[in-house]
């Protein structure tokens, strides 16, 4: 006797409320389904159904067996689906949301490689510093750079950390001097990010663990880090920027780190996606690719 087949037959009988309906769903005859349930009762040595000519009812033993039977079948089906999904080729449209600066400067570097590796995918990338609702707006996956994620039903996987750095051009520092402490920033033109929780405040931790705060002012604020980077490169002032934005400028010497002994709180990079019972191949492929890409530090 095929134990799993008889368990499936029993479950369908219970859930459809009819041997005939269960037989139709299973593409079997009424006789075969009835025989499977009877064989199951004989094997278990317990009556699972109280039968009459027109209806049946679960016995106490039948109710307990049904609950366990349903759980076992679900687990078997989940395992089979997981393997099938893993083997399936990602296809269809993948809608991705990312912050403007990250999508433009960072994601754009490796997204083409991901698409080449998954030729059956069509990618729709939307770069937006607004906090979108993935489910309501129909996104499959999102990348977030943040200090802390809000509570939600989304699955979040951490990929990397991006240090926040104070930067300025050598020309600006030559003209206005180099700050030695966070308090010195009050005498400088500071370029701020509009969407920060408190755009006019910087909070630092010194090497000895002490915490320092500075209230800053400047003649430019923007809702994208790209504009702040461009302004800093032009010698306009001092900007707080993610390392993923300015690491190449620092390497070339076009920008210089300011107050290197005082650290700003880093931002964590996450990939987020809706919590589904079965992760689709296209989302799984994107998440796996991103995890592999950021398995080594990118912005030293």
């Amino acid at each position: 006797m095929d134990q799993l087949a008889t368990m499936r037959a029993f479950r369908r009988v219970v859930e459809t409320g009819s041997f005939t309906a269960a037989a139709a769903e299973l593409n079997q005859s009424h006789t075969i389904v009835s025989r499977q349930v009877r064989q199951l009762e004989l094997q278990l040595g317990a009556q699972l159904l109280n039968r009459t000519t027109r209806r049946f009812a679960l016995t106490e033993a039948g109710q307990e067996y049904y609950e366990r039977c349903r759980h076992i079948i679900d687990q078997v089906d989940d395992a089979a689906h997981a393997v099938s999904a893993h083997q399936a080729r990602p296809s269809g449209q993948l809608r991705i949301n990312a912050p403007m600066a990250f999508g433009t400067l960072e994601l754009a570097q490796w997204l083409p490689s991901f698409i080449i590796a998954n030729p059956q995918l069509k990618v729709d990338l939307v770069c937006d510093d607004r906090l979108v609702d993935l489910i309501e707006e129909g996104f499959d996956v999102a990348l977030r750079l943040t200090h802390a994620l809000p509570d939600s039903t989304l699955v979040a996987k951490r990929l990397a950390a991006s240090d926040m750095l104070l930067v300025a051009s050598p020309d600006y520092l030559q003209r206005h001097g180099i700050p030695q402490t966070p308090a010195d920033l009050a005498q400088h033109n500071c370029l701020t990010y509009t969407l920060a929780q408190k755009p006019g405040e910087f909070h630092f931790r010194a090497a000895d663990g002490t915490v320092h705060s500075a209230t800053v002012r400047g003649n430019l604020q923007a809702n994208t880090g790209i504009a702040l980077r461009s302004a800093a490169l032009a010698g306009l002032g001092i900007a707080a920027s993610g390392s993923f934005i300015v690491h190449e400028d620092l390497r070339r010497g076009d920008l210089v780190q300011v107050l290197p002994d005082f650290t700003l709180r880093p931002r964590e990079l996450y990939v987020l996606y809706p919590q589904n019972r079965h992760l689709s191949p296209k989302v799984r492929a994107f998440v796996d690719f991103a995890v592999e890409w950021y398995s080594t530090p990118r912005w030293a």
Side-chain angles (χ1 to χ4, degrees):
M1 180 179 66
D2 186 334
Q3 182 77 16
L4 189 60
T6 58
M7 291 170 68
R8 288 187 186 279
F10 172 68
R11 177 180 180 176
R12 297 317 301 146
V13 168
V14 173
E15 292 179 353
T16 62
S18 162
F19 280 87
T20 301
E25 283 195 12
L26 296 168
N27 197 28
Q28 295 178 341
S29 69
H30 180 287
T31 302
I32 291 176
V33 173
S34 179
R35 184 186 304 134
Q36 284 177 314
V37 174
R38 177 61 66 186
Q39 288 175 336
L40 191 59
E41 289 178 318
L42 291 172
Q43 182 189 37
L44 296 172
Q47 186 173 348
L48 302 176
L49 302 173
N50 284 323
R51 302 168 178 81
T52 66
T53 55
R54 291 180 175 267
R55 62 178 59 184
F56 65 82
L58 282 168
T59 64
E60 184 177 352
Q63 181 65 44
E64 182 176 354
Y65 187 76
Y66 164 72
E67 296 296 338
R68 294 176 181 271
C69 176
R70 183 179 64 179
H71 178 68
I72 291 169
I73 292 173
D74 283 346
Q75 285 190 318
V76 170
D77 290 345
D78 281 351
H81 190 283
V83 172
S84 297
H86 186 75
Q87 297 299 324
R89 290 182 64 84
S91 60
Q93 178 171 265
L94 179 69
R95 297 198 72 218
I96 305 170
N97 179 256
M100 182 65 71
F102 188 86
T104 305
L105 299 175
E106 174 64 21
L107 178 57
Q109 293 188 35
W110 57 267
L111 187 59
S113 297
F114 169 74
I115 296 173
I116 291 170
N118 297 278
Q120 296 182 21
L121 272 181
K122 180 180 179 181
V123 172
D124 178 16
L125 171 63
V126 177
C127 295
D128 193 339
D129 285 336
R130 177 177 58 89
L131 193 62
V132 304
D133 185 317
L134 267 67
I135 297 174
E136 182 176 328
E137 300 186 39
F139 287 102
D140 298 296
V141 65
L143 292 160
R144 292 276 187 271
L145 272 162
T146 182
H147 295 310
L149 288 171
D151 292 335
S152 75
T153 59
L154 299 175
V155 178
K157 182 181 287 290
R158 183 186 177 279
L159 298 176
S162 175
D163 291 335
M164 291 298 295
L165 308 174
L166 283 186
V167 296
S169 71
D171 175 65
Y172 173 87
L173 296 175
Q174 185 176 8
R175 287 184 287 115
H176 297 278
I178 301 175
Q180 300 300 314
T181 68
D184 294 342
L185 293 175
Q187 309 304 317
H188 285 267
N189 192 46
C190 293
L191 318 173
T192 55
Y193 181 57
T194 314
L195 300 181
Q197 189 172 14
K198 294 182 179 180
E201 293 184 12
F202 292 157
H203 301 280
F204 305 87
R205 185 176 296 277
D208 61 5
T210 58
V211 176
H212 301 259
S213 297
T215 300
V216 299
R217 293 179 299 176
N219 59 5
L220 173 66
Q221 63 177 12
N223 68 348
T224 170
I226 298 174
L228 300 179
R229 167 185 177 246
S230 297
L233 285 167
L236 186 62
I238 298 174
S241 181
S243 57
F244 77 92
I245 297 177
V246 297
H247 69 106
E248 287 294 332
D249 302 314
L250 291 168
R251 183 183 62 81
R252 290 190 298 265
D254 296 333
L255 291 175
V256 177
Q257 186 176 356
V258 177
L259 297 178
D261 294 329
F262 295 85
T263 58
L264 293 162
R265 186 180 177 187
R267 291 182 182 175
E268 304 293 327
L269 173 63
Y270 293 92
V271 58
L272 290 83
Y273 50 92
Q275 188 170 26
N276 297 317
R277 187 172 182 181
H278 302 296
L279 188 59
S280 67
K282 61 184 180 181
V283 174
R284 182 186 300 278
F286 183 82
V287 172
D288 289 347
F289 194 97
V291 169
E292 175 63 25
W293 183 265
Y294 292 106
S295 61
T296 56
R298 311 291 307 182
W299 313 305

